[in-house]
């Protein structure tokens, strides 16, 4: 029996919808790539109030752009991030290529974005030695399951997720102790 997901899941393409429906019982809306319409954004916004929304876009630039468009329009969305290496297909990268097990694992590790909070300052972020340290940043991104981020996006996501300095420092300390 398929796992039931109560939230509306937002994906990019029809093949993503097909893949998702193989694995879970859920409501899905397809953005048709970057051509997401105002009507689709309004539906997503309404669903965020009534049943919740999970954004599950491809781990590429277009997917990140769509995620940003939705998150700028709809508050309090949940996010699923898939590692790029798990979504590589014959011609491109996409949710449609993710294994069923990896898809279920990702859905069991949803992260919830809240409106921008100021739980960690830019100065604290710099003190953690994340700026310019892509390996450490990648480690932290994996631990909190937010997909690979540049400095600016990671800082934004940490605040949207409500992580404070001490919480991020503990993860950074783990990295430092494992990579001496």
């Amino acid at each position: 029996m398929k796992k039931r997901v109560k939230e509306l899941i937002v994906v990019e393409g029809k093949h993503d919808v097909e893949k998702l429906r193989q694995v879970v019982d859920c409501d899905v809306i397809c953005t048709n790539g970057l051509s997401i319409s105002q009507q689709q954004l309004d539906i997503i916004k309404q669903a965020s109030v009534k049943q919740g929304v999970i954004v599950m876009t491809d781990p590429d630039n277009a997917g990140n752009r769509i995620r940003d468009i939705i998150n700028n329009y709809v508050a309090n969305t949940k996010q699923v991030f898939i590692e790029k290496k798990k979504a590589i297909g014959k011609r491109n990268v996409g949710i449609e290529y993710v294994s069923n097990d990896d898809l279920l694992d990702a859905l069991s590790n949803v992260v919830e974005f809240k409106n921008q909070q100021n739980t960690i300052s830019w100065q604290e972020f710099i003190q953690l030695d994340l700026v310019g340290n892509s390996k450490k940043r990648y480690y932290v991104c994996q631990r909190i399951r937010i997909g690979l981020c540049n400095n600016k996006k990671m800082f934004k996501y940490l605040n949207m997720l409500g992580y404070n300095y001490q919480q991020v420092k503990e993860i950074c300390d783990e990295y430092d102790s494992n990579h001496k």
Side-chain angles (χ1 to χ4, degrees):
M1 189 163 148
K2 294 181 194 175
K3 175 183 176 179
R4 173 71 183 140
V5 176
K6 71 175 179 81
E7 294 89 354
L8 172 71
I9 301 179
V10 181
V11 295
E12 290 181 55
K14 65 180 181 178
H15 297 294
D16 299 336
V17 172
E18 292 167 6
K19 176 65 176 187
L20 199 55
R21 289 209 169 125
Q22 288 174 9
V23 180
V24 293
D25 177 19
C26 62
D27 296 325
V28 183
I29 189 168
C30 173
T31 68
N32 297 312
L34 282 167
S35 60
I36 186 169
S37 69
Q38 185 63 48
Q39 181 182 17
Q40 289 171 319
L41 286 170
D42 290 339
I43 290 168
I44 294 167
K45 191 172 200 169
Q46 288 175 19
S48 73
V49 174
K50 294 183 181 190
Q51 71 188 94
V53 169
I54 296 174
V55 179
M56 182 189 288
T57 56
D58 296 345
D60 59 10
N61 288 335
N64 289 333
R65 179 74 184 115
I66 294 165
R67 187 181 301 274
D68 288 343
I69 289 168
I70 293 168
N71 290 333
N72 287 331
Y73 191 76
V74 180
N76 301 327
T77 58
K78 295 178 181 178
Q79 309 291 317
V80 168
F81 293 92
I82 306 277
E83 288 183 63
K84 191 171 191 170
K85 67 182 178 186
K86 293 181 179 179
I88 296 175
K90 294 176 184 167
R91 293 175 287 147
N92 55 12
V93 173
I95 299 298
E96 66 190 272
Y97 303 115
V98 177
S99 75
N100 291 354
D101 288 340
D102 287 336
L103 202 54
L104 285 170
D105 180 56
L107 282 166
S108 67
N109 290 288
V110 173
V111 295
E112 189 168 355
F113 284 176
K114 302 284 184 186
N115 289 333
Q116 184 74 21
Q117 305 169 59
N118 291 315
T119 55
I120 187 168
S121 71
W122 181 249
Q123 190 59 41
E124 290 171 327
F125 185 77
I126 291 171
Q127 289 173 4
L128 293 167
D129 189 35
L130 291 165
V131 176
N133 190 338
S134 60
K135 289 180 180 177
K136 189 175 200 177
R137 201 170 49 249
Y138 177 72
Y139 179 84
V140 175
C141 287
Q142 279 191 308
R143 284 278 281 110
I144 61 176
R145 302 183 76 89
I146 58 171
L148 186 57
C149 302
N150 62 24
N151 294 317
K152 186 177 176 182
K153 185 158 288 223
M154 182 182 201
F155 176 72
K156 178 182 177 181
Y157 284 179
L158 288 172
N159 278 296
M160 290 174 80
L161 291 166
Y163 277 88
N164 64 35
Y165 174 79
Q166 189 56 44
Q167 291 169 311
V168 181
K169 183 176 182 327
E170 288 172 11
I171 297 169
C172 289
D173 289 346
E174 280 176 25
Y175 173 85
D176 291 339
S177 68
N178 292 329
H179 296 86
K180 289 182 178 182

